[in-house]
Amino acid sequence: MNLILFGPPAAGKGTQAKRLVENRKMVQLSTGDMLRAAIASGSELGKRVEGVMQRGELVTDEIVIALIEERLPEAEAAGGAIFDGFPRTLAQAKALDSMLEQRGSRIDLVVRLKVDDEQLLKRVAGRFAESGRPDDNPESFKVRLSAYNDQTAPLLPYYESQKKLVEVDGMGTIEEVSTGIDGALEAPRR
Ligand code: AMP
């Protein structure tokens, strides 16, 4: 089973992905985590993406597609992947479909976490204070939100047309949202 957790920054994708990893035999593939690890390691890649990420812009499709491709065998061995923060552009979505198809696999479900902008801003302010994540500052967050609206939200009709999209209310507590996701995973497929 391959699942995409879809939604704007700070919608709770990472939190919910980690919970799914604990409860189901799946691997979380977060391009944001992979890029932050590259920065922390001081690698060439890390140096290339650091400024872009800090500003809240998207890194190139080529970089994130390669990161995901590298990890697909591991996810396959575990029985499935939770894609968290990927794909974020139509080119990434198409590349993902074709990489999976080549491996005789596919995306089974896209879970969209719906959270309104006001709530996102509140969450990110709290997260910045806690984690100090450099791109959680209000200025970068504005850029991330517009990157989501301009480049990522257009993927919704793509997955809708494939009949893979389900919407889950992301405004509740972590437990409430988890229950919503479980319901979506257990509902009979169309
Ligand atoms: P995230 O942790 O998913 O919010 O990602 C943090 C930052 O990493 C984003 O604001 C982008 O700069 C970069 N990033 C993560 N995933 C992608 C992606 N799929 N495509 C482009 N940039 C990405």
Side-chain angles (χ1 to χ4, degrees), residues 9-10 13 30-33 35-36 49 52-61 64-65 68 84-89 92 127 133 135 144 147:
K13 302 185 296 292
S30 157
T31 39
D33 284 352
L35 293 165
R36 280 184 288 276
V49 299
V52 177
M53 278 178 76
Q54 225 169 77
R55 288 193 297 276
E57 295 161 8
L58 295 186
V59 310
T60 65
D61 290 334
V64 285
I65 290 166
I68 287 289
D84 160 14
F86 181 93
R88 267 175 153 99
T89 65
Q92 292 175 25
R127 194 163 80 176
R133 220 178 103 166
D135 60 348
R144 288 163 64 201

Side-chain angles (χ1 to χ4, degrees), residues 84-102:
D84 160 14
F86 181 93
R88 267 175 153 99
T89 65
L90 195 57
Q92 292 175 25
K94 289 184 173 168
L96 179 60
D97 278 349
S98 88
M99 289 187 292
L100 290 173
E101 196 184 329
Q102 276 168 25

